[in-house]
Amino acid sequence: LDLKPKLFALSHVGRGGVYSGFCREIAGSAKDQLEESSKRQKGDTMERRCGLLTAQNAPVPLKGISVRLEVKGFVADLSASLEYVNEESDPLEAMFVFPMDSDSAVYHFQAQVGGKTIVATLKEKEQAKDDYDDAISSGHQAFLLHEDESSSDVFSCSVGNLPPGDKVTICFRLVQELPLEADGAVRFTLPAVLNPRYTPAGTQGPKITTASAPVDKLPYTLQLEAHFHNPLGISRIQSNCQVTPVEFLNPEKSSAKLSLADGHGFDRDVEFLIYCDKIHEPSAVVEDGLETGSPGTLMGEAAVMVNLFPSFPQTASKASVGEFIFLMDRSGSMACQMSQEDSRPRIQCARDTLLLLLKSLPMGCYFNIYGFGSSFASFFPASVEYTQSSMQEALEKLKAIGADMGGTEILQPLSAIYSTARITGHPRQLFVFTDGEVSNTKAVLAEVQKHSPTHRCFSFGIGEGASTALIKGMAKAASGNCEFISGKQRMQPKVLQTLSYALQPSGTGLTLSWELPPGVEASPLVQPPTELFNGKKTIIYAQLKGKLDPSLEAAATLTYSLGEQQIRTITRFRLAPLQTGSATIHRLAAKAMIGELETQTAVDSVETSRRLVEVSVQAGVVSSKTAFIAINKDLNQPLQGPLRHRHVPLYQGFSAPQARFQMAPIANRKTSNRLRSISPITSALGLQGLMAPMACQLESSRVMSMGSPKGQKLKIRKFCCLMEQSSPCPPPPPPPPCGRSAPSICPSPPIYLRGGGFAPAPAPSSPEPEEEEEGPWMKLIELQNADGSWGAQPGMDSPLGLTTEQIKRGRPREDLDLTLWVTILAVIWLHSFAADTKLEWDLLVNKSLSWIKAKGAPDLADCVKAANALLKTSVLPETLGL
């Protein structure tokens, strides 16, 4: 045996944090290792020094983030600067893993070192990583920015070879399409919360890792200045954060600015809602090609972005058929509260939403409900017809569901749903609810894409930190719609509006034609959507070839089928290019093209990969196959000793600790002496965890010696580090804060790293959020029958505020059907006393009104008058369509 000690870095990553240390390779018995582990837990670090990769008493090199935001209509252009300072005595490699909207197009990356600006080059990803490793090995500084291997909404920024005392500023820019809310607000979100992604059993772990810390321990700050422009005028701007007063920059109120207030806690996503006049009018924006672009290429010719808002005729009827499958996340993190502003548990909001969905379904359809976590289960073996009996059975089962199913493995239930037989004449509609914490995003999207011809998928991201790549990707892959619920937003209105989309006929058979001057041609850059929804914004990108005359007008005509009708939407615009200076439209179009290529089933084929890299490099927009690399060759000092690896912590909101322990292989890269994550450990907000007995194995690999000339290799042989317990298992620890189950294996006492040592973790400081009591309007809705009626059943008197005798005596005539009378009372009560939640009960009340009209009572106006007198309300019959 070679007993000469060798040093290597070993990291463990959990849902909440990253722990790293230098471990000595020692040949010896498990008993020897146990003794050393025991000494370390008592504070004697010996030669196994532990460096903390959270904010707890460890130098974290990121000191500040500065953001400048420009919002123009439906487009955001963002510039961010990250300042790193090495306050340690050794050179550092700093890694900052951060969330980003999956629709963002990152198009610029640079580093400022010692007054010198180094602009990054976009290269094929593996080549960029090799260049990065080679540069560090040669004593140069290097900077790398790339997407996570498994999800397009997580980015990693690496700063390699930062000498002691040095400062570097990293800058990147991105553009992004902005979504439109139901109330007409344009929403911008700057993600600040990155929830750890659950790694299903039997799959490889995440390629990159994150560290975390409580918000009051984050060692860096955020400054943000935002400018807003809209030629149609800005009526108001709202934010979930403390901001300075909105300052309008002209009398027309077409431009405004604001800033984040000092002391922003970085404990939530930063959101802006921009309300503008005439927001639903179709529009088109033309942009010139770049002077540096070659003629005939994407960046060398003009491009146009067309914003469409389909408006379906009022005669479009809602469907009464369909198979509705609801897939609900029941993992432990669903026990967390919705957000800082909303203390309700996510699972309670999900149950309330499912109740409203069940009450709003049309008679004659089919439905089923699935719950998933580490496993999955369904209410029924197969979808059942929606009747009073099946609805009542589902409601009873709904009362028992909780956030009690462990991890977040969504792929298995999806595959099970797709394997079930479809019901003839009932199109399948899949509704997915999750807080979006998975690491196998691309595998999930591939499964949805594979079955897209047989269903539509509507997805909902619950709470801050939900994966935009997962939620948006599922909806795009299966021609559906997606929504995110965060802050003070209620889940129910967005979900019920989406059900309304699903019940309405959608526009299909889309074709696009152009009216252009002679000598100008238009060619779509991406395929138009396969379906349109009433009032939902749709964007189309096209290349314009030929000489553009700004004085001339053009038009884009979208034609689609709505049932038996043919609908045409015409958008007219002038061929006057917008001077953006940053090729915003071109880069958004390139991002859309990249997204289209990445969703192809043959994404890893040679031709698709080549095309992906070509579009990405030509437009300067990073993709899953490319990365930005910048090298500072002015620093040419061979490193003495190991290059320390530092993860910059993020706030992880209300994510629950992980319950599953799992090993993932180590990437065999040139610089694998800076080893990254091996296995998740449970932890709470990055400071607490359950350290279970584990075996950590390093594969034999060749690494670049940081202190040796380039090309000299160092062999690290296979090593196994065993941590076992010599004493019987202690009593199980208290449940984690957010309801995640503790591991089923025998745990060691909870530990966390503190100043390089191990110590018992403090008890969780924040209890689980408590469920709120139902309001009277929800109690009333629970009593509704599947056909939309309300009967004179026990419990009706309480929400209506009337006794049973008062209800009976209040009828305009004694022979009036009591069920009809109670249904009219319930409908009027909701209109009068629950008007602020109308979006949530509108569909089920419409079902009630249809039932009332079907009864054919001749004196409905008199019934409404009598109901108003009894309830002391003033709802007009015309309001109810009666």
Side-chain angles (χ1 to χ4, degrees):
L1 287 175
D2 177 11
L3 298 180
K4 182 178 180 181
K6 298 189 180 83
L7 291 177
F8 62 91
L10 177 63
S11 299
H12 299 293
V13 180
R15 279 185 66 89
V18 183
Y19 306 103
S20 171
F22 288 99
C23 298
R24 179 175 293 278
E25 182 176 350
I26 299 174
S29 66
K31 180 180 179 181
D32 295 332
Q33 296 168 26
L34 265 176
E35 289 175 356
E36 186 171 335
S37 175
S38 175
K39 291 180 180 179
R40 181 187 51 189
Q41 291 192 19
K42 295 177 182 177
D44 183 3
T45 59
M46 296 181 60
E47 295 190 66
R48 189 176 289 187
R49 296 182 296 111
C50 297
L52 188 61
L53 295 190
T54 67
Q56 188 83 5
N57 295 331
V60 177
L62 180 61
K63 296 302 177 184
I65 302 175
S66 176
V67 173
R68 179 178 172 83
L69 171 67
E70 293 271 353
V71 175
K72 298 178 179 178
F74 295 105
V75 175
D77 195 324
L78 181 144
S79 175
S81 299
L82 290 73
E83 181 180 306
Y84 293 84
V85 178
N86 183 4
E87 297 175 344
E88 300 191 42
S89 58
D90 294 312
L92 285 180
E93 180 190 31
M95 178 181 285
F96 185 37
V97 180
F98 55 97
M100 190 177 292
D101 194 288
S102 60
D103 285 339
S104 299
V106 181
Y107 67 87
H108 181 79
F109 182 57
Q110 69 179 40
Q112 296 174 347
V113 187
K116 179 181 179 181
T117 299
I118 307 163
V119 178
T121 303
L122 192 61
K123 293 186 177 182
E124 190 275 328
K125 181 182 281 187
E126 292 305 311
Q127 182 61 54
K129 288 183 177 180
D130 287 341
D131 290 351
Y132 176 83
D133 292 340
D134 289 342
I136 295 178
S137 301
S138 301
H140 303 314
Q141 275 186 323
F143 312 92
L144 186 70
L145 180 72
H146 62 90
E147 286 184 8
D148 184 10
E149 302 291 344
S150 61
S151 184
S152 62
D153 66 341
V154 179
F155 272 69
S156 174
C157 176
S158 299
V159 179
N161 196 358
L162 185 59
D166 270 21
K167 178 174 71 174
V168 61
T169 300
I170 299 296
C171 304
F172 63 86
R173 296 190 66 179
L174 61 89
V175 290
Q176 176 190 343
E177 295 175 4
L178 298 181
L180 187 67
E181 297 291 292
D183 61 355
V186 177
R187 173 180 291 276
F188 168 80
T189 302
L190 176 65
V193 178
L194 174 57
N195 289 340
R197 306 299 164 88
Y198 183 84
T199 305
T203 64
Q204 188 171 348
K207 303 294 190 304
I208 58 179
T209 66
T210 66
S212 71
V215 64
D216 60 343
K217 299 295 184 182
L218 288 175
Y220 50 89
T221 59
L222 171 67
Q223 295 179 326
L224 184 146
E225 181 178 309
H227 292 250
F228 307 90
H229 310 278
N230 192 302
L232 299 176
I234 301 170
S235 57
R236 68 184 189 277
I237 301 171
Q238 296 178 351
S239 177
N240 66 325
C241 301
Q242 292 293 321
V243 296
T244 60
V246 177
E247 179 183 349
F248 288 101
L249 304 179
N250 54 25
E252 298 80 18
K253 293 188 175 182
S254 60
S255 296
K257 71 174 184 178
L258 57 78
S259 302
L260 274 183
D262 293 338
H264 174 66
F266 223 117
D267 58 346
R268 69 195 72 185
D269 295 344
V270 179
E271 296 179 349
F272 294 119
L273 294 176
I274 306 102
Y275 292 85
C276 303
D277 300 326
K278 303 178 182 178
I279 197 69
H280 289 92
E281 290 187 0
S283 62
V285 180
V286 179
E287 182 180 75
D288 256 338
L290 294 177
E291 292 182 1
T292 55
S294 302
T297 64
L298 170 63
M299 305 304 288
E301 303 284 352
V304 60
M305 178 177 72
V306 182
N307 296 290
L308 300 172
F309 300 90
S311 180
F312 295 171
Q314 293 295 325
T315 55
S317 59
K318 288 183 169 57
S320 60
V321 296
E323 180 193 15
F324 298 89
I325 298 177
F326 305 107
L327 179 58
M328 178 61 64
D329 190 340
R330 290 180 56 187
S331 63
S333 56
M334 289 291 288
C336 303
Q337 66 186 61
M338 286 291 294
S339 67
Q340 290 275 10
E341 296 88 356
D342 188 347
S343 61
R344 293 173 302 156
R346 296 174 185 175
I347 194 67
Q348 179 193 357
C349 297
R351 278 199 303 265
D352 292 347
T353 302
L354 279 174
L355 184 147
L356 289 168
L357 284 168
L358 285 172
K359 295 293 185 176
S360 302
L361 290 176
M363 296 292 288
C365 73
Y366 286 75
F367 78 101
N368 202 351
I369 297 175
Y370 285 73
F372 72 93
S374 300
S375 58
F376 67 91
S378 60
F379 280 16
F380 307 101
S383 295
V384 296
E385 185 177 358
Y386 181 72
T387 63
Q388 178 65 24
S389 173
S390 62
M391 182 198 74
Q392 202 60 44
E393 183 179 351
L395 289 175
E396 288 302 315
K397 293 180 178 180
L398 185 61
K399 294 176 182 177
I401 71 169
D404 52 7
M405 295 188 72
T408 310
E409 299 192 23
I410 192 173
L411 186 57
Q412 292 182 3
L414 280 174
S415 300
I417 290 169
Y418 294 143
S419 67
T420 60
R422 300 193 307 279
I423 301 169
T424 303
H426 291 269
R428 177 169 287 176
Q429 317 258 27
L430 175 63
F431 287 65
V432 180
F433 304 85
T434 179
D435 51 16
E437 300 173 12
V438 298
S439 66
N440 59 337
T441 299
K442 292 186 177 179
V444 172
L445 299 185
E447 184 74 2
V448 177
Q449 179 76 30
K450 176 181 174 182
H451 297 277
S452 59
T454 62
H455 80 298
R456 287 195 299 181
C457 181
F458 302 90
S459 50
F460 304 89
I462 303 172
E464 292 170 329
S467 169
T468 59
L470 177 70
I471 304 304
K472 291 184 176 182
M474 293 179 72
K476 287 179 181 178
S479 302
N481 181 57
C482 69
E483 295 285 358
F484 291 87
I485 301 101
S486 62
K488 294 182 180 180
Q489 297 174 321
R490 287 178 61 82
M491 184 188 306
Q492 293 87 337
K494 292 193 171 187
V495 175
L496 270 295
Q497 184 187 49
T498 301
L499 178 60
S500 180
Y501 292 148
L503 291 172
Q504 289 177 351
S506 59
T508 58
L510 282 67
T511 59
L512 188 65
S513 59
W514 301 85
E515 296 178 25
L516 298 166
V520 180
E521 296 180 357
S523 55
L525 291 171
V526 293
Q527 293 296 320
T530 56
E531 293 189 61
L532 291 178
F533 296 104
N534 188 27
K536 289 296 293 182
K537 179 170 68 78
T538 300
I539 296 180
I540 294 174
Y541 295 100
Q543 191 101 61
L544 297 177
K545 297 181 179 180
K547 186 173 178 57
L548 304 184
D549 185 343
S551 64
L552 298 180
E553 192 179 68
T557 302
L558 183 69
T559 305
Y560 55 92
S561 300
L562 187 64
E564 301 297 323
Q565 303 180 66
Q566 284 289 112
I567 309 293
R568 297 173 72 235
T569 300
I570 301 175
T571 305
R572 301 194 178 276
F573 57 95
R574 289 200 170 274
L575 294 173
L578 182 70
Q579 303 300 324
T580 63
S582 57
T584 301
I585 305 303
H586 286 75
R587 291 191 163 108
L588 287 173
K591 179 65 177 180
M593 295 169 68
I594 290 169
E596 193 171 80
L597 288 167
E598 288 177 336
T599 56
Q600 292 182 5
T601 53
V603 64
D604 291 323
S605 69
V606 174
E607 177 56 29
T608 303
S609 296
R610 183 198 65 79
R611 179 60 177 156
L612 252 175
V613 173
E614 178 185 19
V615 173
S616 176
V617 172
Q618 188 183 130
V621 173
V622 73
S623 71
S624 61
K625 301 291 184 180
T626 55
F628 278 110
I629 174 72
I631 299 174
N632 178 19
K633 295 187 177 181
D634 288 351
L635 178 68
N636 192 12
Q637 303 170 1
L639 299 181
Q640 303 300 320
L643 184 65
R644 294 184 181 274
H645 192 71
R646 291 288 181 258
H647 285 258
V648 178
L650 280 174
Y651 177 67
Q652 289 188 349
F654 300 100
S655 294
Q658 196 66 277
R660 181 180 297 278
F661 287 78
Q662 181 181 320
M663 304 304 296
I666 301 169
N668 183 14
R669 295 204 54 77
K670 291 182 181 178
T671 54
S672 57
N673 61 329
R674 303 190 304 281
L675 293 173
R676 296 188 171 92
S677 62
I678 298 177
S679 79
I681 321 175
T682 56
S683 64
L685 295 180
L687 296 178
Q688 306 175 79
L690 298 172
M691 179 69 79
M694 63 180 68
C696 307
Q697 180 170 306
L698 300 181
E699 296 182 352
S700 176
S701 62
R702 294 200 308 168
V703 300
M704 185 72 71
S705 175
M706 305 311 299
S708 61
K710 180 178 178 181
Q712 184 175 333
K713 307 294 181 181
L714 172 68
K715 184 94 167 183
I716 292 183
R717 62 184 176 82
K718 189 175 293 186
F719 169 72
C720 186
C721 169
L722 299 174
M723 295 185 189
E724 297 178 353
Q725 287 216 191
S726 56
S727 58
C729 291
C738 291
R740 179 77 73 183
S741 313
S744 58
I745 57 179
C746 171
S748 300
I751 60 171
Y752 74 108
L753 288 168
R754 178 163 53 197
F758 285 69
S765 58
S766 54
E768 288 189 24
E770 296 183 0
E771 298 196 5
E772 295 181 358
E773 188 177 349
E774 291 178 339
W777 71 276
M778 280 295 290
K779 292 180 179 178
L780 180 61
I781 286 172
E782 284 184 3
L783 297 172
Q784 188 195 36
N785 296 320
D787 60 5
S789 66
W790 272 272
Q793 54 190 300
M796 277 299 298
D797 52 347
S798 176
L800 291 177
L802 300 169
T803 65
T804 303
E805 190 60 31
Q806 285 176 317
I807 291 173
K808 292 180 179 179
R809 288 203 313 265
R811 287 179 291 179
R813 49 185 173 87
E814 289 188 4
D815 61 341
L816 180 65
D817 179 72
L818 192 56
T819 300
L820 175 61
W821 172 239
V822 173
T823 302
I824 293 173
L825 286 174
V827 168
I828 291 178
W829 190 96
L830 287 170
H831 274 86
S832 299
F833 302 108
D836 57 334
T837 57
K838 186 174 188 294
L839 286 175
E840 303 179 32
W841 49 255
D842 197 38
L843 281 177
L844 62 90
V845 164
N846 284 339
K847 186 164 64 169
S848 302
L849 292 172
S850 296
W851 181 88
I852 292 171
K853 293 174 185 176
K855 287 297 180 181
D859 54 350
L860 288 179
D862 293 337
C863 292
V864 172
K865 184 178 179 180
N868 278 320
L870 185 60
L871 294 170
K872 297 179 174 56
T873 55
S874 56
V875 177
L876 298 175
E878 295 79 14
T879 303
L880 307 177
L882 301 179

